[in-house]
Amino acid sequence: MTNVASLAGTAALIGDPARAAMLVTLMDGRALTATELAGAAGVTASTASGHLARMLEAGLLALERQGRHHYYRIAAPSVAGLIESLMSVTGELSAARRQCRPVRTGPSDRALRRARLCYDHLAGEVAVGIAAGMIARGQLDLGQDGGALTDEGLNFLASLGIDLDSGAPARSLHSRLCRLCLDWSERRPHLAGEIGRALYGALVRERWVAGPSQGRTVTITPLGRGKLERHFGLALAWSLSCSD
Amino acid sequence: MTNVASLAGTAALIGDPARAAMLVTLMDGRALTATELAGAAGVTASTASGHLARMLEAGLLALERQGRHHYYRIAAPSVAGLIESLMSVTGELSAARRQCRPVRTGPSDRALRRARLCYDHLAGEVAVGIAAGMIARGQLDLGQDGGALTDEGLNFLASLGIDLDSGAPARSLHSRLCRLCLDWSERRPHLAGEIGRALYGALVRERWVAGPSQGRTVTITPLGRGKLERHFGLALAWSLSCSD
DNA sequence: GAGATGCTTCGGTCGCGCCCGAAGCATCTC
DNA sequence: GAGATGCTTCGGGCGCGACCGAAGCATCTC
C-alpha cells in the first residue's frame, strides 16, 4: 500500500501543468537553469523554484550547480521513458476521443513536427520515415515487442560508422535489438534506446542533421536531405504525415 | 502546449491515491466492479464512482456492463505499460533515496513477492528467476533494449507448447524479441510483452502455476515447483531475493 | 407489484497545494 | 567594498477537487 502512495505521489508530481511543462522541456536531454524553466512553464521564479525542489527531492530531476546557475536535467533514462510513456498514452487517448476527421496530433510547430530530439534520440516525421524506410528496405524487422536489425541493417549502420558489435564479439544477436518508441506526433514507431541514440549521434556526426540550438527542434541539413531521400526514400518537400 | 496539458491531466488522474490504488488493483488484468474498487481504494461507493467516471472518460479504463454490475478494467496495454513504468521509476527512486541497508522493496506479502500477475504476464521472484535461469542456460540473450531468444530458448518454449513462429514462417528473427519489464519488487528484469504473455499462458495450461483466485497472487503448484527447479534451478524453499 | 442491491448524481464541507510578491542568500562583476 | 544577477525561502490569498451522505435511477429477485 505504501508503494501505491509513492506511485501516486510520482504521478501527482508530473500531474501539475507547470511541472509537466518543465519535464517536457527537458526531454531534449539538456540541462536548463531555473529561470529558463520558469519561463517555459509560464510561472514566476519563486514558483518554479518550489516545483524544481520537489522534483529534485523526488529524484525526477538532477541538479548541477555552476556558480550562481543551477542546471536541472532529467535524472535518469527511466524518467524519460516514463514521460515518453505518458506522451504515448495521452496521444492515443486524445486521438481515440475525437476519432473521426484527420486529427492533427502533436505540436503545431511545423519544424518540431518534422524532426526533434526525444531525450537522446531523433523523433518526428523524419525519425518515423527513417524507421519506415529501414523496414521497407529489409534493414529492420518489426516485432510486437520491439525491432531487430537484419544483416542489411547492421551493414547500413556500419556504413554510417555505427559498429554495434564493438567490444562484444559474441553478442551479435542482442546488439540487433532496438527499442521502438511510439512517436508523439506521428503515432508510428521510431528508433529509440541504444540504437536510436547511436543513430542520432551518427547523423549529427555525418552532418545529415544539426542538433537543436535551442528548444528540441532538429534541423535537416541540405546534405542530409539528399542522403535521407536516397537511403530511405524520404521526400522532405511534401508532408510525410499523409502517407500510410 | 495543449499536449502538455493533456499529459499533465493524465498524470494528475493517476496522481490521486484512491485512483492509483484502483489502477494498481486492476493490474492483474481482471475487470472489477465499482464496489470492489471502492473497497480497494478505501473510499465510499459514491466517491469511487466519480473517480471511475473520470478515468473512463479519459480512456484509462474500459467499462463492461452486465446487468446491474459495472465491470471496469485497464483500457489498453499502453495504459498498463504506463503504470508499470511508474512502478519502476517509483521503485528506483525509493530505493535510491534510502540507499544503504537492504531495503525491502515491493509489497510485504510474502506470496505476492514470490509470484504475481503483472497485467498479462508473470512477475515476482519466480518470474525474475525464470528469466535469470533462461539467461544462465543460454536460452535468452540479454541486451540493453530488451532480450532475444536463442535457438535453445525457442526449442524450450516449443517444448512448453509455445510456437512463436506459427503463422509467420519468415519472421523468425522478430519473433525472438522479448520485452523485458523491471520487476517491481525484485528490481531485476522479467519477461513481459508477447512472450511473457505466452509463457504465462503456457505455465497455467501446463499446471506449473495456478492463476489468482483473488488479488494478483499466483501460486506455484507442486508440479511447477519441481519443474521450475529442474529447468531453471529455482529452489523455492529458500528466498531467491538473496541471490545476486 | 414491493423490496433489495449496485451504481450514479447532487449539494455542501473542507483542506491541500498552486500561486505570487517581498525579503533573504549566494555568487559574480567592477 | 557596492551593486547586479540568479535562486530560494517565507507568508498569505485563493481556487480546485476529494470526500461524504442523501437522494435518485437501473436492475434483479420474489
Side-chain angles (χ1 to χ4, degrees), chain A residues 173-203:
Chain A
L173 184 56
H174 95 247
S175 70
R176 299 179 165 205
L177 302 179
C178 44
R179 205 166 73 73
L180 295 175
C181 175
L182 184 63
D183 196 272
W184 177 29
S185 57
E186 296 300 299
R187 303 299 144 69
R188 290 157 66 199
H190 64 238
L191 291 173
E194 196 177 6
I195 291 177
R197 184 169 53 246
L199 177 62
Y200 175 70
L203 292 180

Side-chain angles (χ1 to χ4, degrees), chain A residues 34-35 38 43-50:
Chain A
T35 304
V43 295
T44 63
S46 64
T47 300
S49 179

Side-chain angles (χ1 to χ4, degrees), chain B residues 156-181:
Chain B
F156 170 70
L157 290 187
S159 75
L160 284 176
I162 304 176
D163 186 8
L164 295 167
D165 279 334
S166 65
R171 306 189 311 172
S172 68
L173 184 56
H174 95 246
S175 70
R176 300 180 165 203
L177 301 179
C178 44
R179 205 165 72 74
L180 294 176
C181 173

Side-chain angles (χ1 to χ4, degrees), chain B residues 4 6 25-26 28 41 58 67 69 102 120 134 144 152 162 192 204 206:
Chain B
V4 170
S6 64
T25 302
L26 290 171
D28 60 3
H69 295 279
D120 59 5
M134 290 183 71
Q144 192 166 337
E152 291 81 2
I162 304 176
V204 170
E206 299 288 326

